[in-house]
Amino acid sequence: MSKHVTARRHTPRSLAALDAPIVALTAYTTPMARLMDPHCDLLLVGDSLGMVVYGMDSTLAVTPEMMIAHGQAVVRGSKNACVAIDLPFGSYQQSPQQAFAVSAEIMAKTGAGCVKLEGGVEMAETVHFLTQRGIPVIGHIGLKPQAVHTHGGFRTVGRGSEAEQVMQDAKAIEAAGAFSVVIESTMEPLAREISETLSIPTIGIGASPACGGQVLVGEDMLGLFSDFTPRFVKRFAAIGEQVDKAVAEYAAAVRDRSFPGPEQCVGMPKKES
Ligand code: KIV
């Protein structure tokens, strides 16, 4: 009898044990997840979806319901990558118990493998509470977009005296039991030092090539936006331009009635040539 072997999805454990850099992208929908999944170890349903998908100015108005709906879509569209879901602003900062309730709901309703939350020393107690109760956690330090108003904007973190605080954040999140930590928009030498100091993998975005992995917002790296993109984004494609061209051609074809043609219609006689 032949044995049917099903490839297993990455887990927090297998990610932490990878001997190559972790390849991660954000994904918010099933079609994108399907395209990214074969190439990625980790798909992050980031709360950046508030800005990328819903056109908000920040991530602050994103809700657990939004994260659950998009998390379900990404889990449905993937079978290789571990799926991580961001805890949105206001859903976890109040207490470890509040964080556990929202994490458990998100994981149960989506089937995601872990959650990610922003914060350093101040969130260490919460990370410990979650990891002790079966919730694998990715930390997020450096630029924390949910703290945009106290940060003073979306700026690079870790210059001067700020560096020591970010290092303390990294150590606290590791000691609390996170299996990985995202370092966002942080001075390269500091991100490098943190990556060399911690024993869990760091995942950089605007951080350092020395990180244990890299993540980008999928729409940014695909060039789906024409608006401002941060310096740390490298566009690996210009899909936005292709969309623009395709939609312009479609509009012209509708207006000159060349679409739909006989191939797209039932019972329509082909034109004599
Ligand atoms: O929300 C998000 O997309 C993120 C990434 C930028 C890491 O947190």
Side-chain angles (χ1 to χ4, degrees):
M1 199 171 79
S2 72
K3 201 169 154 198
H4 183 73
V5 182
T6 317
R8 289 189 56 215
R9 201 188 260 285
H10 268 299
T11 62
R13 211 183 166 88
S14 69
L15 287 181
L18 269 181
D19 53 13
I22 295 172
V23 178
L25 282 174
T26 63
Y28 316 118
T29 63
T30 300
M32 271 308 186
R34 283 203 182 115
L35 290 167
M36 294 169 168
D37 182 58
H39 309 284
C40 290
D41 306 310
L42 175 69
L43 290 178
L44 169 65
V45 186
D47 61 353
S48 51
L49 65 82
M51 301 170 79
V52 177
V53 179
Y54 292 93
M56 297 169 174
D57 288 338
S58 75
T59 58
L60 301 189
V62 174
T63 64
E65 290 70 30
M66 291 161 80
M67 299 311 298
I68 288 168
H70 288 275
Q72 288 169 336
V74 170
V75 170
R76 268 182 226 125
S78 59
K79 53 185 183 204
N80 167 59
C82 178
V83 176
I85 301 188
D86 265 347
L87 301 186
F89 179 66
S91 73
Y92 67 97
Q93 289 94 342
Q94 209 170 3
S95 67
Q97 288 76 7
Q98 186 202 27
F100 181 81
V102 73
S103 304
E105 185 187 4
I106 286 176
M107 289 190 63
K109 289 188 174 167
T110 63
C114 55
V115 298
K116 176 167 82 58
L117 61 82
E118 294 182 15
V121 173
E122 77 288 1
M123 291 310 297
E125 184 192 351
T126 294
V127 172
H128 183 71
F129 193 89
L130 296 182
T131 54
Q132 288 297 300
R133 287 163 179 76
I135 312 266
V137 175
I138 302 179
H140 183 148
I141 59 168
L143 172 66
K144 293 168 279 187
Q146 293 177 11
V148 59
H149 295 307
T150 46
H151 255 312
F154 295 102
R155 62 177 177 82
T156 304
V157 171
R159 290 187 173 89
S161 60
E162 211 176 39
E164 183 50 30
Q165 181 58 53
V166 184
M167 176 59 89
Q168 291 312 319
D169 286 342
K171 289 181 177 168
I173 291 302
E174 172 171 43
F179 74 90
S180 177
V181 63
V182 167
I183 308 179
E184 179 166 357
S185 203
T186 295
M187 298 298 287
E188 196 279 334
L190 174 61
R192 180 177 290 273
E193 195 188 340
I194 291 171
S195 301
E196 287 166 359
T197 304
L198 300 191
S199 48
I200 56 172
T202 58
I203 302 178
I205 173 162
S208 168
C211 289
Q214 302 294 330
V215 62
L216 282 176
V217 169
E219 278 72 358
D220 284 348
M221 61 81 75
L222 291 170
L224 260 167
F225 287 128
S226 54
D227 326 11
F228 166 81
T229 40
R231 170 185 168 148
F232 58 70
V233 172
K234 176 169 175 179
R235 288 191 174 181
F236 287 82
I239 307 292
E241 286 166 27
Q242 290 182 359
V243 172
D244 182 56
K245 186 167 171 288
V247 175
E249 281 174 20
Y250 166 73
V254 169
R255 290 188 180 116
D256 71 13
R257 299 193 185 277
S258 61
F259 175 83
E263 301 80 11
Q264 290 88 34
C265 295
V266 178
M268 178 178 169
K270 288 207 169 100
K271 271 194 193 138
E272 303 277 317
S273 54

